[in-house]
C-alpha cells in the first residue's frame, strides 16, 4: 500500500481544552497523571495490570502471573480464578449499591422497568438455574438472539455465571446468519423472544429462529421470552417459555470460580474473506479491560446514569452496556427500539426523563439527528448530560461540532473512542477532563496500548502521513483466537507484519501524537458503524439463481459513512430488469440481514479485472463514487469494461 492510497484529507486544526470544572472532578485529573500511568503501563505492563486487576476485580483465587505472552497467544492473570457474573452483580450486594438501579429499561412502546442490583442478582441466579436445568454447563455454547431487553443481559450474565460461552446474534440478522453462527460454534441452547419492537412493528425473532433451527442439529432447546405477545409456534420438547422456566427455578445459586482464561463469549464479526469470524474473548482480561476503560474514559461516578445506544448484538453492547458498566456498579439506561419512534427526539426525551448523564452513540446516528433537524433537540433541556462519547467509525468534524454544540451545549467533553470487536475494550480515546480534543481525532492511546502507523515495509511513516494501523504490545482484553480457526487468527491479525497486531484500519499520527483513523483498508465496509465484509455480500449475491458474478464496493455516503454498491453480472438469458434489481437487494437482506441490503445494484456485462483475473476493486470504487478513474490502469485486462460501466451510470 503506497502513501497515496491512504491519504488523510482532514486537516482539522481546532483544539478543545477540557474545562477546569470538569477537570476538578475527573477520575483522572491531569495530563501529567495520565502520562505517568501510561509510561508505567507500557514499561512495566505486568506490574501495572497486576495492580489494576487486584484493585478493580474480585478474585476467587489470586493469580500468580499477570501475563504469559507467546506471540500471538496471550494469557492474562495466569492461575487466577474469578466469576465474571459475580464481579458484575454479586459483589455490589451488601454495599450501598445493593438497592441502586443496575438497569433502567425503556421499551419502544414506552414501558419502563427498573432492576436494582439486588433484583438483577435474583434474576441472574434464577436464570442460571434454568440453564443448568437445560443441561448447560462450563464451556457449552448458548446463542442469544433477543431484543434489547433486560433479559438479554440476564441471559449473558447467567451464562457467565456458569462458565458457559454466549454468542449474541444481533436481532437484525436473518435466519441464515443464525444458522451459520449456531453451527459454527455448535450452540446447545438458543435464547430468543417472540418478538421485539422496532419502529412500531414487531420483529419476529422466534419465527427467524424456527427457520434456522431445522438446520442446526446441535440445538436442544429454544427458550422464548414473551415480549410482544405475537403468536408463535412452540415445538413440543424443544421450545420452552422463559417465564415458565424461571417461575419454577430456585432463586439460590452458588457461583463457582473459573479460570481467568475461561472463554466468556464468541462474537461473530465480518472479515475480509469468507464467513464471519468468531472472535473469542475470555474472562479476567476482558473484564478488566472493559471495567478500567469505563471508569476512566467515561469518568464514571456513583451517581451517573449511563446511556449507551448500542445494541447488545455488537461488541459495544457487550463491553459498554453490560460488562464494563456493571463491573463498576453503574446505572445503565437501556432502550429497546428505534431512535425516531414515536418521534425523532426519542433519545433526547429519554435523557431528560431519566436524567442521563453520559451518552455514548455512533457518528451515523449523529448524522441522522443532524438531518432530522435541530428543532427536535431544542425541545429538550439535556441539562443532565455531562459527557458524550462516539464509536464505530471516524466522526467527521462537522458531526463532532454539532454533537458538541447541540447536544453537549459546549459543556460536555466528547470522547471519540477507537476500538474493535477484536480489541474488546477502548484502545485509543481522550480522557475527559485531561486530553485536549480535536474534532475527528480519537487522540491518545489508553493505558497499555501502543499504536503504530507503519508503511509496507514496517517503517514508521513520518508524522501526518498515512499508513496502516498496528498495535504493538498485548493488552488484557485482546481476542485470544478465532473460534475453531487459530490459523485464520494468525493469518488475519498477526501476519501482516511479524510481531504486530494488524487492525485493518488506515490512520495517521499528527505532530502532537494524536491518532486519526481514516477507516478500513481491507475488504470490510463500515456501513452505519456496522462491519460488513464485501465477501459475505458477494457470496449472498451469487447464491441467487440469476447471478453469475458479483463485486461489492463501498461508496462514501453522507449518512451511513459508506453505502453498499454491488456490480452484478447476470447469468446468460437473464434479463437485467428493475424488478430483478429490487429482488436482489431483498435477497441479500434475507440472507444476511437488513443492514446488508445493497443501496445500489448495477448490472454489468463485465467487471474490470487484472490479467490474472483479480477484480480491480479500486476501479469499481471510483466508478461507484461517480468519479474519474485515477491511478494506474495498465494492469487492466480490458478497458472497454470500464467505459461500459461508466456509460451506464444514470
Ligand atoms: C471503526 C466497534 C474511527 C474502525 C467498536 C474499526 C472507528 C472498526 C472508531 C471496528 C473511531 C470504530 N474512529 N473508526 N472512534 N471506532 N471504528 O468491530 O474501522 O464493530 O476497525 O467495533 O470500526 O468495528 P467493530
Amino acid at each position: 500500500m503506497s502513501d497515496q492510497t491512504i491519504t488523510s484529507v482532514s486537516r482539522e486544526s481546532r483544539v478543545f481544552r477540557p474545562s477546569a470544572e470538569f477537570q476538578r472532578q475527573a477520575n483522572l485529573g491531569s495530563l501529567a497523571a495520565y502520562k505517568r500511568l501510561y509510561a508505567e503501563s507500557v514499561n512495566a505492563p505486568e506490574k501495572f495490570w497486576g495492580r489494576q486487576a487486584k484493585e478493580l476485580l474480585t478474585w476467587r483465587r489470586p493469580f500468580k502471573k499477570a501475563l504469559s505472552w507467546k506471540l500471538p497467544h496471550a494469557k492474562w492473570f495466569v492461575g487466577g480464578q474469578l466469576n465474571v457474573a459475580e464481579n458484575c452483580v454479586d459483589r455490589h450486594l451488601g454495599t450501598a449499591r445493593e438497592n441502586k438501579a443496575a438497569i433502567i429499561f425503556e421499551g419502544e412502546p414506552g414501558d419502563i422497568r427498573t432492576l436494582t442490583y439486588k433484583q438483577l442478582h435474583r434474576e441472574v441466579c434464577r436464570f442460571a438455574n434454568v440453564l443448568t436445568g437445560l443441561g448447560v454447563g462450563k464451556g457449552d455454547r448458548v446463542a442469544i438472539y433477543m431484543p434489547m431487553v433486560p433479559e438479554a443481559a440476564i441471559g449473558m450474565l447467567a451464562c457467565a455465571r456458569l462458565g458457559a460461552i454466549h454468542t449474541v446474534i444481533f436481532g437484525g440478522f436473518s435466519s441464515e446468519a443464525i444458522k451459520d453462527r449456531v453451527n459454527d460454534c455448535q450452540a446447545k441452547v438458543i435464547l430468543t423472544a417472540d418478538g421485539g419492537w422496532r419502529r412500531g412493528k414487531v420483529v419476529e425473532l422466534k419465527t427467524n429462529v424456527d427457520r434456522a433451527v431445522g438446520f442446526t442439529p446441535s440445538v436442544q432447546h429454544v427458550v422464548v421470552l414473551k415480549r410482544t405477545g405475537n403468536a408463535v409456534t412452540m415445538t413440543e420438547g424443544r421450545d420452552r417459555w422463559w417465564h415458565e422456566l424461571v417461575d419454577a427455578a430456585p432463586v439460590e445459586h452458588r457461583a463457582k470460580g473459573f479460570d481467568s482464561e475461561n472463554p466468556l463469549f464468541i462474537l461473530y464479526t465480518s472479515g475480509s474473506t469468507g464467513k464471519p469470524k468468531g472472535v473469542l474473548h475470555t474472562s479476567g482480561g476482558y473484564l478488566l479491560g472493559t471495567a478500567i476503560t469505563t471508569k476512566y474514559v467515561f469518568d464514571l461516578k456513583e451517581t451517573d446514569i449511563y446511556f449507551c445506544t448500542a445494541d447488545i448484538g455488537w461488541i459495544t453492547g457487550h463491553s459498554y452496556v453490560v460488562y464494563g458498566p456493571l463491573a463498576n456498579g453503574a446505572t445503565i439506561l437501556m432502550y429497546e427500539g428505534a431512535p425516531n419512534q414515536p418521534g425523532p427526539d426519542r433519545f433526547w426525551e429519554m435523557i431528560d426523563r431519566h436524567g442521563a448523564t453520559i451518552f455514548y452513540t455512533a457518528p451515523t446516528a449523529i448524522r441522522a439527528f443532524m438531518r432530522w433537524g435541530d428543532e427536535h433537540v431544542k425541545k429538550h433541556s439535556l441539562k443532565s448530560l455531562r459527557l458524550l462519547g462516539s464509536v464505530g467509525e471516524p466522526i467527521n468534524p462537522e458531526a463532532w461540532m454539532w454533537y458538541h454544540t447541540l447536544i453537549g451545549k459546549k459543556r460536555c467533553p466528547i470522547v471519540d473512542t477507537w476500538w474493535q470487536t477484536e480489541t474488546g475494550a477502548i484502545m485509543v480515546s481522550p480522557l475527559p477532563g485531561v486530553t485536549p480534543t480535536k474534532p475527528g481525532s480519537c487522540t491518545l492511546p489508553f493505558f497499555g496500548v501502543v499504536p503504530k502507523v507503519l508503511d509496507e515495509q514496517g517503517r514508521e511513516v513520518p508524522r501526518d502521513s498515512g499508513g496502516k494501523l498496528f498495535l504493538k504490545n498485548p493488552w488484557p482484553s485482546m481476542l485470544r483466537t478465532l473460534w475453531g480457526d487459530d490459523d485464520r487468527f494468525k493469518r488475519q491479525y498477526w501476519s501482516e507484519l511479524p510481531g504486530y497486531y494488524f487492525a485493518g484500519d488506515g490512520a495517521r499520527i499528527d505532530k502532537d501524537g494524536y491518532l486519526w483513523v481514516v477507516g478500513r483498508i481491507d475488504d470490510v465496509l463500515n456501513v452505519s458503524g456496522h462491519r460488513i465484509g464485501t465477501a459475505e455480500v458477494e457470496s449472498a449475491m451469487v447464491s441467487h439463481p440469476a447471478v453469475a458474478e458479483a463485486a461489492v464496493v463501498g461508496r462514501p455516503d453522507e449518512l451511513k459513512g459508506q453505502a453498499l454498491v454491488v456490480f452484478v453480472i447476470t447469468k446468460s438469458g437473464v434479463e437485467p430488469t428493475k424488478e430483478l434489481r429490487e429482488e436482489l437487494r431483498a435477497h441479500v437482506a434475507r440472507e444476511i440481514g437488513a443492514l446488508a441490503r445493497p443501496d445500489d445494484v448495477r448490472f454489468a456485462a463485465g467487471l474490470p479485472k487484472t490479467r490474472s483475473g483479480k477484480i480491480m476493486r479500486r476501479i469499481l470504487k471510483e466508478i461507484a463514487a461517480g468519479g474519474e478513474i485515477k491511478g494506474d490502469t495498465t494492469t487492466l485486462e480490458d478497458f472497454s469494461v470500464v467505459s461500459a460501466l461508466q456509460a451506464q451510470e444514470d
Side-chain angles (χ1 to χ4, degrees):
M1 175 98 26
S2 67
D3 286 356
Q4 288 113 40
T5 39
I6 311 176
T7 41
S8 180
V9 284
S10 154
R11 286 291 181 270
E12 177 62 49
S13 56
R14 283 169 287 198
V15 177
F16 293 81
R17 291 183 199 289
S19 73
E21 199 186 344
F22 197 98
Q23 182 162 16
R24 260 196 300 280
Q25 59 81 62
N27 286 347
L28 201 113
S30 73
L31 208 51
Y34 159 73
K35 285 188 175 150
R36 185 169 39 78
L37 282 169
Y38 179 75
E40 188 203 352
S41 74
V42 295
N43 297 329
E46 297 198 39
K47 183 168 163 241
F48 176 84
W49 288 118
R51 186 176 74 240
Q52 299 297 342
K54 279 181 207 151
E55 268 174 27
L56 293 173
L57 303 182
T58 302
W59 296 86
R60 284 287 190 95
R61 188 204 281 164
F63 50 90
K64 293 200 181 74
K65 196 171 159 30
L67 171 66
S68 134
W69 177 225
K70 289 197 189 80
L71 199 129
H73 294 116
K75 289 195 175 118
W76 284 92
F77 313 118
V78 184
Q81 287 194 347
L82 80 170
N83 186 294
V84 169
E86 211 169 57
N87 270 275
C88 290
V89 185
D90 304 43
R91 67 171 168 154
H92 307 310
L93 305 188
T95 75
R97 289 175 182 155
E98 181 169 283
N99 295 318
K100 170 180 175 175
I103 301 176
I104 300 173
F105 166 73
E106 195 168 307
E108 197 187 75
D111 49 322
I112 293 173
R113 236 169 100 198
T114 300
L115 283 158
T116 64
Y117 272 95
K118 198 169 186 178
Q119 291 167 329
L120 179 63
H121 177 254
R122 185 182 157 92
E123 295 309 318
V124 172
C125 286
R126 289 210 292 181
F127 204 70
N129 285 321
V130 166
L131 289 176
T132 307
L134 296 176
V136 173
K138 177 174 176 284
D140 287 335
R141 275 79 64 207
V142 174
I144 302 181
Y145 182 70
M146 294 189 67
M148 271 295 277
V149 294
E151 282 77 7
I154 291 165
M156 292 163 77
L157 291 164
C159 288
R161 197 174 182 89
L162 298 172
I165 307 170
H166 59 70
T167 185
V168 183
I169 303 169
F170 172 56
F173 278 132
S174 66
S175 50
E176 280 298 310
I178 304 174
K179 189 183 87 186
D180 289 348
R181 286 158 172 79
V182 167
N183 283 335
D184 188 75
C185 71
Q186 295 285 294
K188 233 181 180 174
V189 170
I190 301 181
L191 311 181
T192 189
D194 48 359
W197 291 107
R198 187 85 195 167
R199 233 162 253 124
K201 294 202 186 76
V202 172
V203 180
E204 296 195 13
L205 298 168
K206 174 64 164 66
T207 310
N208 288 345
V209 170
D210 289 343
R211 283 196 199 113
V213 96
F215 307 92
T216 57
S218 62
V219 174
Q220 294 166 11
H221 292 288
V222 178
V223 182
V224 188
L225 177 80
K226 195 170 260 187
R227 166 70 187 141
T228 45
N230 51 307
V232 293
T233 326
M234 298 292 279
T235 300
E236 184 76 37
R238 186 194 72 195
D239 299 352
R240 312 288 299 270
W241 284 109
W242 188 294
H243 60 271
E244 287 177 6
L245 292 173
V246 163
D247 285 348
V251 295
E252 300 293 326
H253 183 270
R254 296 242 325 242
K256 290 198 190 96
F258 296 98
D259 196 275
S260 176
E261 282 298 329
N262 195 50
L264 180 62
F265 66 86
I266 302 166
L267 186 59
Y268 287 88
T269 188
S270 295
S272 45
T273 49
K275 286 191 310 174
K277 308 173 288 192
V279 169
L280 182 75
H281 282 289
T282 60
S283 303
Y286 172 79
L287 194 63
L288 179 62
T290 55
I292 189 172
T293 47
T294 306
K295 179 174 170 185
Y296 291 116
V297 176
F298 297 115
D299 189 50
L300 198 74
K301 298 292 188 304
E302 217 46 78
T303 46
D304 275 316
I305 298 202
Y306 164 91
F307 184 17
C308 167
T309 66
D311 191 278
I312 235 156
W314 309 111
I315 191 67
T316 307
H318 284 60
S319 300
Y320 299 108
V321 175
V322 180
Y323 290 111
L326 294 179
N328 280 285
T331 297
I332 62 185
L333 177 56
M334 182 189 234
Y335 173 57
E336 176 187 31
N340 53 353
Q341 183 69 26
D345 57 345
R346 181 60 181 264
F347 283 173
W348 323 132
E349 202 180 87
M350 284 181 64
I351 288 169
D352 279 1
R353 178 159 41 245
H354 300 286
T357 55
I358 302 170
F359 181 65
Y360 190 31
T361 197
T364 185
I366 298 169
R367 291 191 296 266
F369 304 144
M370 290 169 73
R371 182 180 280 197
W372 292 338
D374 297 359
E375 65 275 19
H376 303 293
V377 179
K378 288 180 175 155
K379 276 194 281 186
H380 304 276
S381 100
L382 303 182
K383 68 173 191 293
S384 57
L385 288 175
R386 65 181 197 90
L387 176 66
L388 304 175
S390 170
V391 61
E393 56 180 309
I395 180 166
N396 47 309
E398 195 194 348
W400 196 102
M401 287 307 299
W402 185 89
Y403 201 27
H404 171 70
T405 313
L406 266 286
I407 307 301
K409 316 287 183 205
K410 302 188 176 163
R411 153 191 96 231
C412 305
I414 296 179
V415 289
D416 175 1
T417 61
W418 177 85
W419 58 295
Q420 310 179 291
T421 304
E422 292 86 345
T423 69
I426 293 166
M427 295 282 104
V428 182
S429 168
L431 292 180
V434 171
T435 319
T437 49
K438 303 183 190 184
S441 169
C442 53
T443 77
L444 302 175
F446 191 73
F447 303 137
V449 178
V450 184
K452 295 273 178 200
V453 176
L454 307 174
D455 69 9
E456 215 48 41
Q457 281 73 42
R459 288 176 308 219
E460 248 168 86
V461 300
R463 285 285 158 107
D464 262 333
S465 41
K468 293 179 179 177
L469 178 59
F470 293 88
L471 300 177
K472 190 155 173 15
N473 297 356
W475 62 98
S477 64
M478 67 199 288
L479 81 165
R480 298 303 193 260
T481 187
L482 292 177
W483 181 257
D485 201 348
D486 199 52
D487 282 340
R488 190 174 175 194
F489 165 69
K490 290 179 192 149
R491 240 184 5 255
Q492 184 90 40
Y493 303 107
W494 301 95
S495 65
E496 189 78 15
L497 198 66
Y500 289 85
Y501 168 84
F502 176 48
D505 281 339
R508 73 182 164 94
I509 293 179
D510 74 12
K511 59 181 190 333
D512 299 321
Y514 275 39
L515 189 74
W516 300 74
V517 174
V518 183
R520 304 292 305 192
I521 51 175
D522 53 9
D523 291 330
V524 173
L525 302 179
N526 193 328
V527 179
S528 301
H530 300 315
R531 278 166 64 168
I532 298 174
T534 53
E536 277 168 77
V537 181
E538 283 164 9
S539 105
M541 240 349 166
V542 295
S543 74
H544 190 280
V547 175
E549 204 177 354
V552 175
V553 295
R555 148 163 67 72
D557 182 273
E558 222 177 274
L559 201 61
K560 298 171 152 188
Q562 282 185 298
L564 274 172
V565 181
V566 192
F567 293 88
V568 171
I569 301 178
T570 52
K571 286 197 179 140
S572 63
V574 176
E575 186 77 12
T577 58
K578 237 185 173 159
E579 291 70 38
L580 180 62
R581 178 177 286 151
E582 284 317 304
E583 190 183 318
L584 292 176
R585 294 180 67 224
H587 176 71
V588 175
R590 261 195 314 276
E591 290 288 305
I592 303 175
L595 73 167
R597 185 194 303 273
D599 297 274
D600 198 354
V601 172
R602 300 200 188 175
F603 294 111
L607 296 173
K609 288 188 183 168
T610 62
R611 285 177 199 115
S612 60
K614 249 186 104 178
I615 294 176
M616 293 180 77
R617 286 175 194 286
R618 177 173 58 78
I619 292 184
L620 288 177
K621 266 187 220 164
E622 285 165 352
I623 295 170
E628 54 179 303
I629 310 297
K630 292 185 249 61
D632 185 25
T633 50
T634 51
T635 50
L636 195 63
E637 183 214 22
D638 176 6
F639 195 82
S640 68
V641 167
V642 174
S643 327
L645 285 171
Q646 280 176 313
Q648 195 215 190
E649 265 163 49
D650 357 282

